Amino acid sequence: MSICAAPERRTDALTREGPAVHMDLHEAGSPVPGLSQLLFDAKFSVPPPQPDAVSRGDLIEAARSSGCRFVAVTAPAGYGKSAFLAEWAATEDRRVAWVSLDRFDDDPAVLLTALAAAFCRAGLAGHDLIDDFGGPRVPVLERAVPRLAAEFRASPVPFVLMLDDLHELESPACHDVLGIVISAIPRGSQLAAASRSEQPHLPRLRVLGDALEFGAGDLVLDVAGARQIFSRAQVSVTPELAAAVTERTEGWPVGLYLAALIEREGHGRAQTVAGDDRYVADYLYRETLIRQPKAIQRFLRRTAVLDQLSGPLCEAVLGSSAAATQLRRAEAHGLFLTPLDRRRQWYRYHGLFREFLLGELRHTEPGIIRTLHQRAADWYESNGAPVLAVEHLLPTTDRDRTVRLVTKLARQMYQAGQVSTLQRWYRAIGEVNIERYPPLAVHTCLASVITGDTPGAMRWTEVVDAASFDPVPADGTASFDSSRAILRAFTCAAGPEQMAADAAFAVGQEPAWSPYRDTALWLLAEAYLLTGRLDEAHGLFVEASATAAPMGASDTILICAAQLAWLAMDRDEWAEAADRLGTALATIEERRMHDFVFTIPAFAGAARLSVHRGDLNEAHRQLTKAMRARPAATYLLPYHAVRLRLQLAKVCLAIADLGTVHQLLREIDDIMAHRPALGTLIDEVKHFRGVLASGEVSKPAGTLPLTPAELRLLPYLQTHLTVDRIAERLFLSGHTIKTEIKAIYRKLGVSSRNDAVQRATAIGLLGT
């Protein structure tokens, strides 16, 4: 598999590895068969009803009959927000798509896949919808969000999308996604979200009259509710005591529940309960905890390090065969465990109770926390869930194991589109620790190169160049020297001769079975193109493609097929070119790689073939795809960035689109100013300029294309962000954003954001 190759697609889309369940689960030989399905069920299943919950039927009816597309349930912990959504879901006659959000969903790619999975699970779309999301080839705002929004708008039946624990999403990128998703909810359907904190989309929807809000005041319980809670806890309560406790707790549901437990254990103590403040909550939880046997207290404290609990996991973490029994006992005693699936195999603690337990653990047994996390990491890794293993290693000081596991997972995470998660891992690990393990620095640098992060790429290139490392890297490369040579060839910072030397070294290092050999062969072929050795380049492209095929390395197959097609067209061998392009385009479609940086030569080649055949409509369609994807091709990949723009310019010249030709040449000049040593490409660009200058048309004609900067801005016009907020997202000034928006309007022939989005979608610059 190549450095950034797409993973194999699987037919069991709803249970396969992917962002929706945050892990790669290969279950063969696993001590816990079906782990991926269990966790999938827990995340996307409506929680079973709580037998002691007070009905919120009046609020449910108000939500259903409101006509508002967005229902916000916002209150601190302990107000029964999740129970309210679960009861609503159980009584709903429309389709319900449910997602229990957690901290791992705070990544736009993960969030989108989760939303798509919930939509499919509710029977609202085909299971192949999930395959349209994730991966570095699927830009979130440009393609993935419009794709999901279109599915929502086109739903043939009304639905309710329920998002529990929305406060877990903190990144602006995730809220940008949600803003577009909310706007796509059709009339007759609703999105209901429960959150501890103010929901960021409420102000705009409030102004539009399209939001219904329930707050803490709506969720408090009255005396009748208090008596119901006491009754279900099998505690006798007088009307006077019920009224007194309700007044003292201010109707706080969890406070009333705690009061019932305390009263059950010690008669007359319920009257001491007061308020919903956090200190009181800690007191109440402590009162509940100290009444439990010591073994249960220890179980509760130590398992609080887990986001999710199951019998086998708890046994592994606690090192006790009694843990599963203690888990069932804790649930039976009503100790704030919420079942996550109807089979009651996975649970989570109530958020406020878990926070209390973690505080107790830090106070009473601080020395064991690292061990608990390490045991959890051991269990997840041995059960084929290395991503969750990393999450438990990050809070420890075991940086050596952490960096090795992250290095092993880096390519997989990038392929899944979970770049935000990777970046969070890198921040937690720290630059110093990444520098101490140079193979991880290589992956950090490669991710920066492919995503166009110029400062990051330059910083990590220096680190990699200065490093030395003798052990075998954890990522599967033959040696660190080989992976560094691949990185150097990838960026071609020292010119084509050095690129060829680096690539040849890697080819010599990586054996036939290496997942990196195809990448080394492809890079050597690219270097030979730059040095004018076309026949040798042709042979290496063929060899690289053949090496990649058994491993399903779609990136290498795609780029080699496109380059071979261009070489064939240059020789006027159009039948071979058509066959090669057919392979490339089929790979793009199958792997959903439309906006990936290495797809552009295939689209440009398809446009050239269409011009040769006289099909100008198809030529324009393919050119639009190529032009849309080009911003990611920066001078960090100079040979690729210049060659693809030259290819596009040749096609545009053939259809007399001189405005685009001149724009592409300006971009080429900018790239070559940073990377002037590009071998034969320099002469090819000069020759093309000569051909252009000798033409009869001396002034640019046709509509100017959007620049890379304008293409990066365009997706944000779908959101409801102000100009200043967009400027913050793109790290630009408000003046620059205003100028670029005016340019977009002028080039698209529109006068508003909505019209710009519609026009861009119609011509293929946004959406599918």
Side-chain angles (χ1 to χ4, degrees):
M1 182 181 292
S2 68
I3 282 183
C4 40
E8 290 293 327
R9 291 178 69 196
R10 307 176 195 170
T11 56
D12 51 335
L14 285 178
T15 58
R16 64 177 173 83
E17 174 274 328
V21 289
H22 323 302
M23 64 190 71
D24 186 8
L25 296 170
H26 303 290
E27 295 174 25
S30 168
V32 185
L35 179 58
S36 61
Q37 183 62 54
L38 291 172
L39 289 172
F40 181 88
D41 287 344
K43 187 169 189 63
F44 299 105
S45 294
V46 178
Q50 299 177 16
D52 54 357
V54 177
S55 176
R56 309 289 190 157
D58 55 338
L59 298 183
I60 293 171
E61 180 55 34
R64 285 173 50 84
S65 61
S66 67
C68 294
R69 291 186 297 167
F70 186 58
V71 179
V73 188
T74 310
Y79 276 87
K81 300 181 296 295
S82 300
F84 166 62
L85 289 185
E87 183 185 358
W88 179 0
T91 60
E92 183 58 66
D93 53 8
R94 293 171 292 181
R95 302 282 183 88
V96 174
W98 178 283
V99 184
S100 293
L101 296 168
D102 55 47
R103 62 193 178 96
F104 308 121
D105 293 306
D106 197 21
D107 178 319
V110 176
L111 175 62
L112 267 171
T113 307
L115 294 175
F119 205 62
C120 293
R121 187 180 175 90
L124 294 162
H127 292 177
D128 60 346
L129 174 65
I130 300 176
D131 290 317
D132 287 344
F133 301 99
R137 309 125 183 100
V138 187
V140 171
L141 288 183
E142 292 92 326
R143 181 177 296 276
V145 179
R147 171 80 170 90
L148 186 60
E151 287 287 337
F152 281 13
R153 293 190 187 97
S155 176
V157 296
F159 63 89
V160 183
L161 174 60
M162 295 187 172
L163 305 180
D164 196 18
D165 291 334
L166 185 66
H167 55 268
E168 296 285 3
L169 304 183
E170 298 180 351
S171 70
C174 283
H175 287 296
D176 292 345
V177 167
L178 278 181
I180 299 173
V181 167
I182 291 170
S183 297
I185 301 294
R187 290 295 171 187
S189 296
Q190 293 176 295
L191 188 153
S195 176
R196 291 189 192 179
S197 54
E198 174 72 9
Q199 304 193 26
H201 306 288
L202 261 179
R204 177 181 63 85
L205 295 166
R206 196 180 286 141
V207 171
L208 297 174
D210 209 9
L212 178 65
E213 303 172 61
F214 294 128
D218 300 295
L219 296 171
V220 296
L221 298 178
D222 56 16
V223 174
R227 295 186 67 178
Q228 185 176 333
I229 286 177
F230 273 72
S231 174
R232 290 178 177 175
Q234 299 180 342
V235 176
S236 298
V237 61
T238 65
E240 293 76 20
L241 178 59
V245 174
T246 303
E247 182 179 357
R248 292 176 68 83
T249 61
E250 300 176 2
W252 185 37
V254 78
L256 288 167
Y257 182 72
L258 284 164
L261 293 182
I262 292 171
E263 180 70 12
R264 186 173 66 188
E265 299 295 332
H267 182 69
R269 302 203 51 193
Q271 297 186 65
T272 65
V273 174
D276 64 351
D277 138 320
R278 283 295 302 277
Y279 295 105
V280 174
D282 282 356
Y283 164 75
L284 295 173
Y285 283 131
R286 191 169 292 110
E287 286 291 301
T288 304
L289 186 65
I290 62 176
R291 285 169 169 72
Q292 304 303 318
K294 295 292 185 182
I296 292 294
Q297 291 185 40
R298 186 168 55 250
F299 170 86
L300 294 171
R301 285 195 307 267
R302 293 183 175 184
T303 55
V305 301
L306 302 171
D307 293 278
Q308 299 161 321
L309 301 87
S310 71
L313 174 57
C314 291
E315 288 181 350
V317 170
L318 300 184
S320 168
S321 59
T325 301
Q326 290 171 325
L327 180 62
R328 290 192 293 271
R329 186 176 301 164
E331 184 195 12
H333 280 75
L335 294 176
F336 311 102
L337 272 172
T338 301
L340 295 177
D341 62 281
R342 295 186 178 274
R343 288 173 284 186
R344 282 180 148 75
Q345 293 176 289
W346 284 89
Y347 300 82
R348 67 173 173 84
Y349 285 120
H350 185 282
L352 204 56
F353 188 48
R354 184 188 181 202
E355 292 168 13
F356 161 73
L357 291 174
L358 286 171
E360 289 291 294
L361 181 64
R362 286 189 289 267
H363 176 69
T364 60
E365 301 181 276
I368 200 174
I369 295 176
R370 173 181 173 178
T371 299
L372 296 173
H373 278 296
Q374 287 176 324
R375 289 174 179 173
D378 292 341
W379 188 86
Y380 276 121
E381 189 170 11
S382 67
N383 282 281
V387 173
L388 288 182
V390 169
E391 298 292 352
H392 280 284
L393 287 173
L394 290 175
T396 74
T397 57
D398 190 354
R399 284 293 174 255
D400 289 341
R401 180 182 175 190
T402 305
V403 296
R404 287 195 301 273
L405 187 53
V406 170
T407 302
K408 186 177 179 181
L409 291 172
R411 185 176 59 185
Q412 168 192 320
M413 296 295 288
Y414 178 74
Q415 291 162 0
Q418 297 183 44
V419 178
S420 294
T421 299
L422 263 179
Q423 291 171 337
R424 174 169 60 81
W425 287 357
Y426 293 157
R427 288 193 298 270
I429 292 170
E431 292 187 355
V432 171
N433 290 305
I434 295 176
E435 290 178 16
R436 288 175 52 210
Y437 194 74
L440 182 55
V442 171
H443 284 279
T444 307
C445 187
L446 280 169
S448 297
V449 169
I450 296 172
T451 56
D453 174 14
T454 303
M458 302 304 292
R459 184 253 188 279
W460 288 110
T461 294
E462 293 178 2
V463 170
V464 171
D465 282 344
S468 60
F469 186 82
D470 294 328
V472 177
D475 60 3
T477 49
S479 67
F480 168 69
D481 288 338
S482 179
S483 62
R484 176 167 56 189
I486 290 174
L487 174 62
R488 287 172 172 169
F490 210 66
T491 57
C492 190
E497 296 295 342
Q498 185 59 49
M499 178 184 180
D502 288 327
F505 174 80
V507 169
Q509 287 274 300
E510 300 297 330
W513 45 262
S514 168
Y516 293 86
R517 182 173 175 80
D518 63 303
T519 299
L521 288 166
W522 157 61
L523 288 170
L524 185 56
E526 294 281 2
Y528 281 174
L529 277 186
L530 295 177
T531 55
R533 301 159 70 175
L534 300 187
D535 290 341
E536 291 169 273
H538 181 282
L540 283 167
F541 281 130
V542 172
E543 184 180 355
S545 184
T547 302
M551 295 181 288
S554 54
D555 295 24
T556 303
I557 294 170
L558 160 66
I559 190 64
C560 289
Q563 296 292 51
L564 288 168
W566 275 92
L567 290 172
M569 287 187 286
D570 289 344
R571 299 191 305 269
D572 285 330
E573 295 176 0
W574 295 95
E576 179 188 343
D579 183 62
R580 301 283 191 189
L581 288 170
T583 298
L585 296 176
T587 303
I588 292 171
E589 190 62 34
E590 181 183 359
R591 306 293 188 194
R592 304 296 195 269
M593 300 168 69
H594 299 79
D595 291 88
F596 188 40
V597 66
F598 292 115
T599 63
I600 304 172
F603 290 137
R608 180 180 177 185
L609 180 63
S610 298
V611 170
H612 175 74
R613 292 171 171 173
D615 188 349
L616 296 186
N617 288 334
E618 179 63 13
H620 281 291
R621 191 173 74 87
Q622 298 292 351
L623 276 173
T624 297
K625 294 179 181 179
M627 294 291 289
R628 165 179 168 166
R630 83 188 190 282
T634 69
Y635 72 81
L636 298 174
L637 295 168
Y639 54 94
H640 183 68
V642 170
R643 188 180 301 283
L644 68 87
R645 284 172 170 83
L646 182 59
Q647 292 169 340
L648 287 168
K650 290 178 179 179
V651 178
C652 290
L653 181 61
I655 61 176
D657 183 359
L658 297 187
T660 300
V661 169
H662 285 271
Q663 173 64 44
L664 290 166
L665 287 174
R666 284 192 292 271
E667 293 176 16
I668 287 173
D669 288 341
D670 182 63
I671 294 165
M672 294 179 69
H674 290 88
R675 292 287 188 269
L678 291 176
T680 57
L681 263 180
I682 297 174
D683 292 332
E684 291 179 44
V685 172
K686 287 181 180 178
H687 179 263
F688 179 77
R689 288 185 184 277
V691 172
L692 182 64
S694 66
E696 296 181 1
V697 181
S698 58
K699 295 182 179 180
T703 303
L704 288 174
L706 298 190
T707 65
E710 291 159 2
L711 285 170
R712 282 189 287 269
L713 166 61
L714 179 64
Y716 287 93
L717 300 185
Q718 303 170 97
T719 71
H720 297 279
L721 296 173
T722 64
V723 167
D724 289 340
R725 292 296 186 189
I726 295 174
E728 290 176 5
R729 298 288 197 275
L730 296 175
F731 303 100
L732 297 170
S733 69
H735 175 73
T736 299
I737 296 299
K738 289 178 182 177
T739 301
E740 291 180 356
I741 289 176
K742 289 180 181 178
I744 290 172
Y745 287 0
R746 184 179 68 255
K747 292 176 180 180
L748 296 181
V750 299
S751 58
S752 71
R753 285 175 68 158
N754 185 59
D755 289 345
V757 170
Q758 291 186 3
R759 176 60 180 158
T761 302
I763 64 177
L765 292 178
L766 287 175
T768 56

